[in-house]
Amino acid sequence: MRECEHIPWNRPWRGDDFDPCFRQLFVEQLVPSVVAAISVVALAVGFMRYYQRRAGVRASALGYVPLLGDRSDRQHPHRQIEYGAATAASQSDSDDYDYEDYDCCEGDAVPAACSLSAAHISDDRSLEYQLPPSIRDMLLAVLCITQLLLALIIYGRRVDGELATAEIALWLWATMLCVYLFCRTSIYVPSPSPHLRLVFLAGLFVDFVKARTALLAYSRSKQIPMPVLEVAMAIIATLLFLSSFTQQRRRHGRPANAPASASGANPPAPERTASIAQLLFFSWMDPMIWLGYKRSLEPNDIYDLMPEDNSAHVCAHWRRESRAYARRHGNDSRSLTRRLFWFFRYRLALQCMWTLVYIVFVFSGPFLLKRILAYMEDPSIYTREQAFWCVAGLLAGGTIATVCQGQALWIGRKIGIHIKSIIIGEVYAKSLRRRDAATGSAVND
């Protein structure tokens, strides 16, 4: 094994590649070890919390009723439960489907407009384009096992006897997580999906560095065999990382988009259960777009609004925020503009972040294009690899700028819809108050 007495932390780059000692100890050992340790500890903490909650549910089932109410009371403090009432049923640990209660029926909101009905479950057209979860999980496990075998073959044939046990342990842990994901039956146990994303990201970084180093060594000396296994590991790691972000989320053990809409006429919007990649590229709209390509869309083909975008929910949330501010400060004398800015402060901040990233990457195109043109005029100022990186940066920068612009516009459009609902509700409430005042004065006269 190569002896590295002094790790060049201050100068990890040597020539056109990482320093061998830095690559061996940092890239192939430290990064996989830290990522695997974080994943193991986080999953262990998740299981500890799960068993603690399960122990509390069993105590409640034996007749113990907390004085402060059960979990549903803490999530919905406006609900009143009679003291001494049995709460074990509300905390049942069964796997029965439980529709999420969108708490939007406080005040004068209409319950029928904001509640989800379990009596109607419509077929979602987007499910036709989704790979079955069991097959997808099995493919992930097969690819992880393939990565593990390739890592063992690569490190087993090295002449210097170098063995990256950390990377092998990382892919072994990824295989165990995939098997756990495939065998997971309960929806209440911790999900391995976030851990798989983290592990696949670390594996992609390590395998990409290894493949690049092997290709550089092959370009310098043709006597070295072509690094087919290293390149294959990098390709498989890329596929695994991308597949972890295209997984469609499932809620309460049902397939994605299972709950029917509130109206029952339109299909539910798949935005809530869309994957990260689907949210970034708005591909959750593809089924409706393909349907419109095949035939003319009917009113019942349009996706229904998400529950939190309904006017009843938005107005109820607005009134709750106003009453909470009035209780904290005695009264609410703010103008409507200040109240709107404060109500949408988090969404506006998120929109500003997307806009700032868009502004940065929108100028990456001219910057990189200038470097490419300079290289074409004088190839000696850059290496060929740097020129190819500039070409790849053009594509990546344009893609990131487009994604950020779309997300900023999408958030702005949703804010505009909510402001419209709030203003209409405020004007309607004020007109009703004036009519009540006029009616009261007429009665007194």
Side-chain angles (χ1 to χ4, degrees):
M1 185 173 182
R2 186 185 294 112
E3 296 293 339
C4 296
E5 298 179 356
H6 302 286
I7 304 175
W9 297 107
N10 54 346
R11 298 185 61 183
W13 195 263
R14 178 184 296 181
D16 55 356
D17 196 10
F18 284 108
D19 183 85
C21 292
F22 182 84
R23 185 183 69 251
Q24 174 187 341
L25 297 178
F26 180 78
V27 177
E28 297 182 0
Q29 296 290 338
L30 184 60
V31 172
S33 301
V34 172
V35 170
I38 292 175
S39 177
V40 171
V41 172
L43 193 61
V45 171
F47 271 103
M48 289 175 59
R49 292 180 178 177
Y50 163 71
Y51 283 111
Q52 288 177 357
R53 291 194 301 266
R54 188 171 183 179
V57 170
R58 288 179 177 178
S60 176
L62 293 176
Y64 172 74
V65 180
L67 293 179
L68 296 180
D70 59 352
R71 181 175 55 190
S72 60
D73 290 335
R74 293 192 295 271
Q75 293 178 353
H76 308 284
H78 66 279
R79 294 183 179 178
Q80 301 293 333
I81 295 182
E82 184 180 357
Y83 177 74
T87 58
S90 62
Q91 294 182 341
S92 176
D93 195 39
S94 63
D95 289 341
D96 294 337
Y97 183 75
D98 183 18
Y99 286 87
E100 184 176 358
D101 184 11
Y102 301 98
D103 184 16
C104 59
C105 302
E106 184 178 350
D108 51 353
V110 182
C114 57
S115 61
L116 290 177
S117 174
H120 302 86
I121 297 180
S122 60
D123 295 332
D124 187 10
R125 300 182 183 91
S126 64
L127 295 178
E128 300 175 1
Y129 305 93
Q130 298 293 329
L131 194 66
S134 58
I135 298 179
R136 185 192 61 82
D137 299 340
M138 187 182 299
L139 289 177
L140 287 180
V142 171
L143 290 178
C144 288
I145 295 174
T146 305
Q147 287 287 84
L148 180 61
L149 295 177
L150 289 177
L152 291 173
I153 294 174
I154 290 174
Y155 291 111
R157 71 179 188 180
R158 286 193 175 181
V159 179
D160 54 3
E162 180 184 346
L163 182 63
T165 55
E167 185 185 2
I168 295 175
L170 180 70
W171 287 115
L172 180 61
W173 175 243
T175 304
M176 296 172 62
L177 288 176
C178 291
V179 173
Y180 166 57
L181 179 65
F182 180 76
C183 301
R184 179 171 174 255
T185 56
S186 177
I187 60 173
Y188 298 97
V189 297
S191 173
S193 298
H195 304 273
L196 285 173
R197 295 190 185 102
L198 180 62
V199 171
F200 290 159
L201 177 61
L204 176 62
F205 171 71
V206 174
D207 291 335
F208 179 79
V209 172
K210 285 171 43 186
R212 183 179 180 276
T213 302
L215 288 175
L216 288 176
Y218 175 74
S219 62
R220 297 191 191 101
S221 176
K222 297 300 182 180
Q223 297 178 357
I224 301 176
M226 187 173 181
V228 179
L229 298 182
E230 287 82 355
V231 175
M233 285 194 68
I235 294 175
I236 296 176
T238 304
L239 294 177
L240 288 172
F241 178 72
L242 294 177
S243 65
S244 65
F245 282 90
T246 56
Q247 175 188 0
Q248 197 173 32
R249 292 174 291 176
R250 286 172 286 172
R251 301 178 62 87
H252 305 289
R254 285 292 184 103
N257 315 328
S261 60
S263 60
N266 299 85
E271 179 186 358
R272 173 176 292 276
T273 53
S275 64
I276 298 178
Q278 290 174 336
L279 292 175
L280 290 177
F281 297 101
F282 300 100
S283 58
W284 52 270
M285 289 288 296
D286 289 350
M288 190 175 68
I289 294 175
W290 278 107
L291 185 63
Y293 173 77
K294 296 177 182 178
R295 62 174 177 83
S296 299
L297 292 177
E298 302 293 337
N300 292 337
D301 296 327
I302 308 300
Y303 290 136
D304 197 5
L305 285 174
M306 294 180 64
E308 57 266 26
D309 293 333
N310 288 325
S311 298
H313 181 277
V314 174
C315 294
H317 191 196
W318 167 264
R319 296 189 186 98
R320 285 199 301 271
E321 289 276 342
S322 301
R323 287 197 294 266
Y325 183 88
R327 284 195 299 266
R328 289 193 302 266
H329 300 85
N331 60 352
D332 192 359
S333 58
R334 299 171 298 171
S335 62
L336 180 61
T337 305
R338 289 184 57 190
R339 292 170 63 190
L340 287 173
F341 269 106
W342 182 256
F343 184 74
F344 295 105
R345 60 190 182 278
Y346 298 117
R347 294 191 180 186
L348 290 174
L350 182 60
Q351 186 183 23
C352 290
M353 290 178 59
W354 283 113
T355 306
L356 288 176
V357 178
Y358 163 73
I359 292 174
V360 171
F361 280 94
V362 78
F363 290 104
S364 65
F367 175 77
L368 296 174
L369 187 60
K370 180 181 177 181
R371 286 176 171 265
I372 295 173
L373 295 176
Y375 173 79
M376 295 178 64
E377 294 178 356
D378 185 8
S380 62
I381 59 176
Y382 303 119
T383 62
R384 180 178 296 181
E385 183 183 0
Q386 291 175 339
F388 276 111
W389 278 114
C390 291
V391 174
L394 278 176
L395 176 62
T399 303
I400 295 175
T402 304
V403 169
C404 294
Q405 184 185 26
Q407 293 297 322
L409 293 175
W410 176 253
I411 295 174
R413 179 60 60 89
K414 298 192 79 170
I415 291 176
I417 294 175
H418 290 183
I419 290 177
K420 182 179 179 180
S421 301
I422 290 172
I423 292 178
I424 291 176
E426 289 292 312
V427 171
Y428 184 69
K430 187 173 183 179
S431 63
L432 288 179
R433 288 196 299 269
R434 289 199 173 193
R435 188 176 64 178
D436 292 342
T439 304
S441 60
V443 171
N444 294 331
D445 294 339

